[in-house]
Short mmCIF file of all heavy atoms in Angstrom, two decimals:
data_model
loop_
_atom_site.label_atom_id
_atom_site.label_comp_id
_atom_site.label_asym_id
_atom_site.label_seq_id
_atom_site.Cartn_x
_atom_site.Cartn_y
_atom_site.Cartn_z
N ASP O 1910 -27.17 -12.42 52.21
CA ASP O 1910 -28.30 -11.62 52.70
C ASP O 1910 -29.47 -11.77 51.73
O ASP O 1910 -29.41 -11.32 50.59
CB ASP O 1910 -27.88 -10.15 52.80
CG ASP O 1910 -29.00 -9.26 53.31
OD1 ASP O 1910 -30.07 -9.78 53.70
OD2 ASP O 1910 -28.81 -8.03 53.32
N ILE O 1912 -32.18 -10.29 51.57
CA ILE O 1912 -32.84 -9.05 51.16
C ILE O 1912 -32.41 -8.62 49.76
O ILE O 1912 -33.19 -8.06 49.00
CB ILE O 1912 -32.53 -7.93 52.18
CG1 ILE O 1912 -33.23 -8.21 53.51
CG2 ILE O 1912 -32.96 -6.56 51.65
CD1 ILE O 1912 -32.89 -7.24 54.61
N GLU O 1913 -31.17 -8.92 49.40
CA GLU O 1913 -30.61 -8.37 48.16
C GLU O 1913 -31.20 -8.97 46.89
O GLU O 1913 -31.13 -8.35 45.84
CB GLU O 1913 -29.08 -8.54 48.17
CG GLU O 1913 -28.42 -7.72 49.27
CD GLU O 1913 -26.92 -7.78 49.22
OE1 GLU O 1913 -26.38 -8.24 48.18
OE2 GLU O 1913 -26.26 -7.39 50.20
N ALA O 1918 -37.90 -9.34 52.75
CA ALA O 1918 -38.24 -8.19 53.60
C ALA O 1918 -39.73 -7.91 53.60
O ALA O 1918 -40.23 -7.23 54.51
CB ALA O 1918 -37.48 -6.96 53.12
N GLN O 1919 -40.45 -8.43 52.61
CA GLN O 1919 -41.91 -8.26 52.56
C GLN O 1919 -42.64 -9.55 52.93
O GLN O 1919 -43.84 -9.68 52.71
CB GLN O 1919 -42.34 -7.83 51.15
CG GLN O 1919 -41.85 -6.45 50.73
CD GLN O 1919 -40.43 -6.48 50.20
OE1 GLN O 1919 -40.07 -7.33 49.40
NE2 GLN O 1919 -39.63 -5.53 50.65
N SER O 1923 -39.62 -11.23 57.80
CA SER O 1923 -39.02 -9.90 57.87
C SER O 1923 -38.49 -9.57 59.26
O SER O 1923 -37.59 -8.75 59.41
CB SER O 1923 -40.02 -8.84 57.43
OG SER O 1923 -41.17 -8.87 58.27
N GLY O 1926 -34.47 -9.92 60.79
CA GLY O 1926 -33.36 -9.03 60.50
C GLY O 1926 -32.43 -8.86 61.69
O GLY O 1926 -32.86 -8.82 62.84
N LYS O 1927 -31.14 -8.75 61.39
CA LYS O 1927 -30.14 -8.57 62.43
C LYS O 1927 -28.91 -7.90 61.82
O LYS O 1927 -28.77 -7.83 60.59
CB LYS O 1927 -29.75 -9.91 63.06
CG LYS O 1927 -29.12 -10.88 62.07
CD LYS O 1927 -28.72 -12.20 62.71
CE LYS O 1927 -29.91 -13.00 63.14
NZ LYS O 1927 -29.52 -14.38 63.56
N ILE O 1928 -28.04 -7.44 62.68
CA ILE O 1928 -26.78 -6.84 62.24
C ILE O 1928 -25.64 -7.78 62.62
O ILE O 1928 -25.52 -8.16 63.78
CB ILE O 1928 -26.56 -5.46 62.87
CG1 ILE O 1928 -27.61 -4.47 62.37
CG2 ILE O 1928 -25.16 -4.94 62.54
CD1 ILE O 1928 -27.54 -3.12 63.04
N LYS O 1933 -21.53 -7.83 57.19
CA LYS O 1933 -21.83 -6.57 56.52
C LYS O 1933 -22.32 -5.57 57.55
O LYS O 1933 -22.73 -5.94 58.66
CB LYS O 1933 -22.88 -6.76 55.42
CG LYS O 1933 -24.24 -7.22 55.94
CD LYS O 1933 -25.24 -7.46 54.82
CE LYS O 1933 -25.54 -6.20 54.06
NZ LYS O 1933 -26.53 -6.39 53.00
N SER O 1934 -22.30 -4.30 57.20
CA SER O 1934 -22.89 -3.31 58.07
C SER O 1934 -24.38 -3.23 57.77
O SER O 1934 -24.84 -3.56 56.68
CB SER O 1934 -22.24 -1.93 57.84
OG SER O 1934 -22.54 -1.47 56.54
N GLY O 1935 -25.14 -2.80 58.75
CA GLY O 1935 -26.56 -2.66 58.53
C GLY O 1935 -27.32 -3.96 58.70
O GLY O 1935 -26.76 -5.03 58.92
N ASN O 1936 -28.60 -3.82 58.58
CA ASN O 1936 -29.51 -4.94 58.81
C ASN O 1936 -29.52 -5.91 57.65
O ASN O 1936 -29.40 -5.51 56.49
CB ASN O 1936 -30.92 -4.38 59.03
CG ASN O 1936 -31.89 -5.41 59.58
OD1 ASN O 1936 -31.62 -6.03 60.60
ND2 ASN O 1936 -33.00 -5.57 58.91
N GLY O 1937 -29.66 -7.19 57.96
CA GLY O 1937 -29.77 -8.21 56.94
C GLY O 1937 -30.62 -9.36 57.42
O GLY O 1937 -30.82 -9.55 58.63
N ILE O 1938 -31.16 -10.12 56.49
CA ILE O 1938 -31.86 -11.37 56.81
C ILE O 1938 -31.06 -12.46 56.12
O ILE O 1938 -31.01 -12.53 54.89
CB ILE O 1938 -33.32 -11.35 56.32
CG1 ILE O 1938 -34.07 -10.19 56.98
CG2 ILE O 1938 -34.01 -12.68 56.63
CD1 ILE O 1938 -35.50 -10.02 56.47
N ALA O 2226 -30.14 -6.62 66.22
CA ALA O 2226 -29.71 -5.29 65.82
C ALA O 2226 -29.28 -4.46 67.02
O ALA O 2226 -30.00 -4.34 68.00
CB ALA O 2226 -30.85 -4.58 65.08
N GLY O 2227 -28.07 -3.93 66.94
CA GLY O 2227 -27.56 -3.06 67.98
C GLY O 2227 -26.80 -3.77 69.07
O GLY O 2227 -26.29 -3.13 69.98
N THR O 2243 -20.60 -2.50 53.62
CA THR O 2243 -21.36 -1.84 52.57
C THR O 2243 -22.20 -0.73 53.16
O THR O 2243 -22.24 -0.51 54.37
CB THR O 2243 -22.29 -2.85 51.86
OG1 THR O 2243 -23.20 -3.38 52.85
CG2 THR O 2243 -21.49 -3.99 51.26
N VAL O 2244 -22.87 -0.03 52.31
CA VAL O 2244 -23.76 1.03 52.79
C VAL O 2244 -24.93 0.42 53.52
O VAL O 2244 -25.23 -0.76 53.38
CB VAL O 2244 -24.27 1.89 51.61
CG1 VAL O 2244 -23.14 2.62 50.95
CG2 VAL O 2244 -25.04 1.03 50.61
N CYS O 2245 -25.59 1.22 54.27
CA CYS O 2245 -26.67 0.72 55.13
C CYS O 2245 -27.68 -0.07 54.35
O CYS O 2245 -28.19 0.37 53.33
CB CYS O 2245 -27.35 1.90 55.82
SG CYS O 2245 -28.73 1.41 56.86
N VAL O 2246 -27.97 -1.24 54.84
CA VAL O 2246 -28.86 -2.13 54.11
C VAL O 2246 -30.30 -1.62 54.13
O VAL O 2246 -31.10 -1.98 53.29
CB VAL O 2246 -28.78 -3.56 54.69
CG1 VAL O 2246 -29.53 -3.65 56.01
CG2 VAL O 2246 -29.34 -4.58 53.70
N PHE O 2247 -30.60 -0.74 55.08
CA PHE O 2247 -31.95 -0.20 55.08
C PHE O 2247 -32.20 0.57 53.79
O PHE O 2247 -33.28 0.52 53.21
CB PHE O 2247 -32.16 0.73 56.29
CG PHE O 2247 -32.15 0.00 57.61
CD1 PHE O 2247 -31.14 0.23 58.52
CD2 PHE O 2247 -33.14 -0.92 57.92
CE1 PHE O 2247 -31.12 -0.44 59.73
CE2 PHE O 2247 -33.12 -1.58 59.13
CZ PHE O 2247 -32.10 -1.35 60.05
N LEU O 2248 -31.19 1.30 53.32
CA LEU O 2248 -31.33 2.04 52.08
C LEU O 2248 -31.48 1.10 50.91
O LEU O 2248 -32.33 1.28 50.05
CB LEU O 2248 -30.11 2.94 51.87
CG LEU O 2248 -30.10 3.77 50.58
CD1 LEU O 2248 -31.32 4.67 50.52
CD2 LEU O 2248 -28.82 4.59 50.50
N SER O 2249 -30.64 0.03 50.87
CA SER O 2249 -30.73 -0.92 49.76
C SER O 2249 -32.08 -1.62 49.77
O SER O 2249 -32.66 -1.90 48.72
CB SER O 2249 -29.60 -1.94 49.82
OG SER O 2249 -29.71 -2.74 50.97
N THR O 2250 -32.60 -1.91 50.97
CA THR O 2250 -33.92 -2.54 51.06
C THR O 2250 -34.99 -1.63 50.51
O THR O 2250 -35.88 -2.04 49.76
CB THR O 2250 -34.24 -2.88 52.53
OG1 THR O 2250 -33.19 -3.68 53.05
CG2 THR O 2250 -35.55 -3.63 52.64
N LEU O 2251 -34.88 -0.34 50.85
CA LEU O 2251 -35.86 0.61 50.36
C LEU O 2251 -35.81 0.71 48.85
O LEU O 2251 -36.85 0.74 48.18
CB LEU O 2251 -35.58 1.99 50.99
CG LEU O 2251 -36.51 3.14 50.53
CD1 LEU O 2251 -37.96 2.81 50.91
CD2 LEU O 2251 -36.08 4.45 51.17
N ILE O 2252 -34.59 0.72 48.29
CA ILE O 2252 -34.46 0.79 46.83
C ILE O 2252 -35.10 -0.41 46.16
O ILE O 2252 -35.82 -0.31 45.17
CB ILE O 2252 -32.97 0.91 46.43
CG1 ILE O 2252 -32.42 2.27 46.89
CG2 ILE O 2252 -32.78 0.75 44.93
CD1 ILE O 2252 -30.92 2.40 46.70
N VAL O 2253 -34.81 -1.61 46.72
CA VAL O 2253 -35.39 -2.83 46.15
C VAL O 2253 -36.91 -2.78 46.22
O VAL O 2253 -37.62 -3.13 45.27
CB VAL O 2253 -34.86 -4.07 46.90
CG1 VAL O 2253 -35.63 -5.32 46.48
CG2 VAL O 2253 -33.37 -4.25 46.63
N LEU O 2254 -37.44 -2.31 47.36
CA LEU O 2254 -38.89 -2.26 47.53
C LEU O 2254 -39.52 -1.29 46.55
O LEU O 2254 -40.51 -1.59 45.88
CB LEU O 2254 -39.22 -1.86 48.97
CG LEU O 2254 -40.71 -1.67 49.30
CD1 LEU O 2254 -41.47 -2.97 49.02
CD2 LEU O 2254 -40.89 -1.24 50.74
N VAL O 2255 -38.91 -0.08 46.43
CA VAL O 2255 -39.45 0.91 45.51
C VAL O 2255 -39.39 0.41 44.08
O VAL O 2255 -40.34 0.54 43.30
CB VAL O 2255 -38.68 2.24 45.65
CG1 VAL O 2255 -39.09 3.21 44.56
CG2 VAL O 2255 -38.95 2.85 47.03
#
Side-chain angles (χ1 to χ4, degrees):
D1910 180 7
I1912 290 175
E1913 295 185 14
Q1919 294 83 46
S1923 60
K1927 62 179 68 171
I1928 294 175
K1933 63 182 297 182
S1934 66
N1936 193 54
I1938 300 175
T2243 60
V2244 295
C2245 178
V2246 76
F2247 292 114
L2248 179 59
S2249 65
T2250 305
L2251 178 61
I2252 292 172
V2253 170
L2254 176 59
V2255 171

